[in-house]
Amino acid sequence: MQLEDLRALLALGDHQHVTEAAAALGTTQPSLSRLLARVEAELGARLFERDARGVHPNPLGELTLTAARDLVGRYDRLCRDLAGLLDPDSGTVRLAFLDSMATSLVPRILHDVRERAPRLRVELRQEPGHVILPDLESGAAELALISPQPRGPYGWLPLQKQKLALIVPPGHRLVPRRRARLADAAGEDFVTVPPGFGFRVLIDGLFAAAGVTPRIALEIGDLATIEGLVGAGLGVALVPESFAGATGTVGLPLAAPGAERVVGLTWRADRPPGPAAARFRAIVEASAPYT
């Protein structure tokens, strides 16, 4: 039995007359009668009762029509969904991004994409980096905004360099300084993200290069929350400069080699992108860098 056979059954159920159903399907009455006989033989059941007024589904026919309507509906929805995904101008892109980019880089990128492809649909996934990479592998996300550049079969388009600052509470002893060194945080309670986060790898590398072991007091996976904890006097922290000052913290430019976070767009390089994802990526590449 083919999908078009199910459509023929549905036409018979709607019109309840072989001639009218055949006309709606663009076929002949004998062809439709043979199709019905073949389907009934395959299913081993009589589905329609014939009389002078036409054909009428019996209880077995009603059951079959319900299943046929469901199967045809699923197929038609699949075709519509695929058409949307495969259309570079009105398809769907699944974009994952780090929490720390939710109010800064992501809105700017989406603004640029909307201007150039207003019908493109973007499904957003806000999550930590150690969740983003498995999502890229499984296909739950096609593109991701992440830092640092991931290792492995990933494409990479650097978009923004974010300088890091040491943030301190209002009235802190370091506030009068114009710049800070990593050694200045050695005796302070330090607030940062937990191990396993890409930003923590960057921070640990900076301290190791400077020969400093920070005294970690609090760990939480959100940079905005870290800034708030510092503003409440619970320690000091290293964050991108844009986070400084939201709750009264004071940001001191960091005097350390490599004290910056590079944010980029990444994707699986071992599989071709869908047309909509390729369109999104091309727009972002044309708009980069984001200063």
Side-chain angles (χ1 to χ4, degrees):
M1 189 185 306
Q2 304 296 317
L3 189 69
E4 293 309 310
D5 296 339
L6 299 180
R7 294 192 192 277
L9 292 181
L10 291 175
L12 279 171
D14 290 338
H15 293 279
Q16 299 195 12
H17 197 284
V18 175
T19 302
E20 294 178 5
L25 293 168
T27 188
T28 64
Q29 178 179 343
S31 295
L32 184 56
S33 295
R34 287 194 297 270
L35 182 149
L36 176 58
R38 174 169 55 80
V39 170
E40 288 181 328
E42 180 178 339
L43 294 178
R46 186 178 181 88
L47 305 179
F48 287 84
E49 304 300 330
R50 290 78 163 166
D51 59 28
R53 294 176 300 159
V55 293
H56 312 283
N58 58 30
L60 295 178
E62 293 289 359
L63 179 64
T64 303
L65 290 176
T66 298
R69 194 169 292 109
D70 177 60
L71 291 170
V72 170
R74 288 190 196 181
Y75 177 80
D76 290 343
R77 284 194 299 274
L78 171 62
C79 291
R80 289 194 300 270
D81 291 345
L82 286 175
L85 290 172
L86 296 175
D87 186 341
D89 291 316
S90 64
T92 299
V93 181
R94 300 183 297 278
L95 175 69
F97 59 92
L98 296 173
D99 295 337
S100 58
M101 302 170 193
T103 60
S104 55
L105 186 57
V106 171
R108 294 176 61 189
I109 288 176
L110 294 180
H111 178 269
D112 291 341
V113 171
R114 177 64 61 86
E115 280 195 332
R116 292 166 176 78
R119 295 187 298 123
L120 199 64
R121 183 170 176 264
V122 184
E123 291 182 0
L124 300 175
R125 305 174 68 91
Q126 182 175 331
E127 51 198 19
H130 62 273
V131 176
I132 287 177
L133 294 184
D135 278 354
L136 286 173
E137 182 176 356
S138 69
E142 298 170 280
L143 302 170
L145 294 168
I146 198 170
S147 177
Q149 179 179 354
R151 298 177 181 178
Y154 296 98
W156 178 250
L157 174 63
L159 299 179
Q160 188 179 68
K161 291 184 177 180
Q162 301 173 343
K163 293 183 178 180
L164 302 187
L166 178 69
I167 57 171
V168 299
H172 191 274
R173 62 179 178 83
L174 295 176
V175 168
R177 298 194 182 186
R178 298 180 61 183
R179 298 178 67 82
R181 298 174 300 117
L182 289 170
D184 295 330
E188 300 283 344
D189 288 338
F190 192 70
V191 186
T192 188
V193 296
F197 282 67
F199 192 69
R200 177 61 177 268
V201 174
L202 172 61
I203 297 302
D204 288 347
L206 290 173
F207 275 114
V212 176
T213 301
R215 189 172 71 202
I216 297 176
L218 294 169
E219 294 176 333
I220 189 165
D222 180 70
L223 294 180
T225 303
I226 288 174
E227 192 277 337
L229 294 173
V230 173
L234 297 174
V236 302
L238 290 180
V239 295
E241 286 182 334
S242 60
F243 283 85
T247 62
T249 57
V250 177
L252 304 172
L254 194 60
E260 64 180 15
R261 178 172 78 157
V262 179
V263 175
L265 185 71
T266 190
W267 59 91
R268 293 285 298 199
D270 55 351
R271 64 186 68 147
R279 173 82 165 125
F280 185 100
R281 193 171 77 194
I283 294 172
V284 174
E285 185 172 7
S287 302
Y290 288 82
T291 56

